[in-house]
Amino acid sequence: MTNPERTASAASAAPQHPRAAGATSATAPPRDLARQLVVAVSAVVAVVGSFIGSGAAGGQRVQDAAGGALAADATLVAPGGGAFSIWSLIYFGLLAYAVWQFLPAQRTDERHRRIGPWIAASLLLNAAWILSIQFDLLWLSVPVIAALLVVLVAAFRIGLALRPKSMTDALVTDGTIGLYLGWVCVATIANVAAVLVAAGFDGFGLPPETWSVALVAVAGLLGMALAVWDRGRIAPALSLSWGLAWIAVARLTDEPSSTVTGIAAIVAVVAVLLTTTAMRVVAMRAAGGRAPDIAAHDPSAPRAD
């Protein structure tokens, strides 16, 4: 056999690397399956925690636990009871994400590789927060909800940096994280106020309404900052505004009554929604008329980061 023939024979017999041959590996690394399982199990833990927190599984309702420190009439920045119905939508979205990320198409997707662990952490922190309230460890609820807020910001940031590949991914992943983040912004402020009041904090001699207006203003500024950062995403603005609106409802129609706090909350809602709308219009013009969250999977759209 001549040298050219031997070379050709060796080349045909030598195994080709899958990538070189244009093939893709059908087997995902074990860590990807482990991540999917962790997210799914964490979702189950969070749902069980929600049943405990609702009083349906033998525990006390969150509003009644810890001496009622988180009840709608406990502080001037406590949202009305109807505000907590948003958890049904958030939990539905989290369960939908747990199923969505478990599908084979998401197993090796870099976006879900990075977001998944943060979602799992948020689910476990959510359950930990409920348990801290159930065991009357009100002081512990503050670092837990603060950690939850940080985790959600991290997940939200990844969602902005790595575009979804489909409309379903945008709605299930980004929509859920956005709703979750917006609500937790308001919940964190209400939680801190509840702990301070329960601890007997006297506000350094300042009137309670001064503090309540200041806290509502902080929530409003957070919402406006989110709108600027995410270029007018709808989900976080809606859930944050929902929480603020229920603070207004509680203060204007229930005890403790505070017209000043109620009006401040309404002003904050308007400011958040106007800022979100303005940033969305700017983003759509920059993207040639496409909404930033709807057209996020379009490679030609400007990056959020």
Side-chain angles (χ1 to χ4, degrees):
M1 182 181 292
T2 63
N3 287 338
E5 291 174 332
R6 289 177 180 175
T7 302
S9 176
S12 62
Q16 290 183 317
H17 192 281
R19 294 185 185 276
T24 57
S25 175
T27 304
R31 67 177 182 274
D32 288 319
L33 178 58
R35 183 199 75 243
Q36 291 176 307
L37 287 171
V38 168
V39 172
V41 171
S42 299
V44 173
V45 170
V47 170
V48 171
S50 73
F51 277 107
I52 294 174
S54 68
Q60 289 183 298
R61 294 191 311 159
V62 169
Q63 297 93 319
D64 301 329
L70 296 170
D73 59 356
T75 71
L76 289 177
V77 292
F84 299 97
S85 62
I86 196 174
W87 273 114
S88 298
L89 184 57
I90 293 174
Y91 278 123
F92 176 81
L94 290 170
L95 288 174
Y97 176 78
V99 174
W100 171 252
Q101 62 89 39
F102 212 92
L103 299 179
Q106 278 66 252
R107 181 165 296 176
T108 59
D109 186 86
E110 183 62 21
R111 190 170 198 259
H112 293 285
R113 280 176 170 171
R114 293 179 59 184
I115 288 180
W118 293 105
I119 295 295
S122 76
L123 290 164
L124 295 176
L125 284 168
N126 188 4
W129 184 86
I130 292 174
L131 289 177
S132 70
I133 301 301
Q134 291 294 315
F135 286 102
D136 290 336
L137 299 174
L138 191 59
W139 61 270
L140 182 59
S141 67
V142 173
V144 171
I145 200 169
L148 175 58
L149 182 59
V150 171
V151 164
L152 289 174
V153 168
F156 191 71
R157 180 180 180 277
I158 294 170
L160 290 177
L162 299 178
R163 299 187 187 94
K165 295 180 179 178
S166 67
M167 179 66 71
T168 303
D169 193 19
L171 292 174
V172 173
T173 305
D174 300 271
T176 298
I177 295 173
L179 287 175
Y180 201 178
L181 174 59
W183 170 255
V184 170
C185 285
V186 176
T188 300
I189 289 170
N191 197 163
V192 170
V195 171
L196 290 175
V197 170
F201 177 63
D202 64 359
F204 300 117
L206 294 174
E209 288 183 326
T210 300
W211 285 99
S212 63
V213 170
L215 289 174
V216 166
V218 169
L221 290 172
L222 282 175
M224 295 168 69
L226 272 175
V228 173
W229 182 34
D230 63 26
R231 301 185 305 161
R233 297 294 176 97
I234 295 174
L238 287 181
S239 57
L240 197 149
S241 297
W242 171 267
L244 287 171
W246 274 100
I247 291 176
V249 170
R251 300 292 69 82
L252 295 175
T253 65
D254 203 353
E255 297 296 331
S257 177
S258 174
T259 302
V260 173
T261 304
I263 293 175
I266 293 173
V267 171
V269 169
V270 173
V272 170
L273 294 180
L274 286 178
T275 303
T276 301
T277 301
M279 293 308 302
R280 192 171 184 83
V281 169
V282 171
M284 289 178 66
R285 288 178 177 175
R290 296 164 298 188
D293 40 2
I294 295 176
H297 55 277
D298 186 343
S300 65
R303 292 183 62 87
D305 57 344

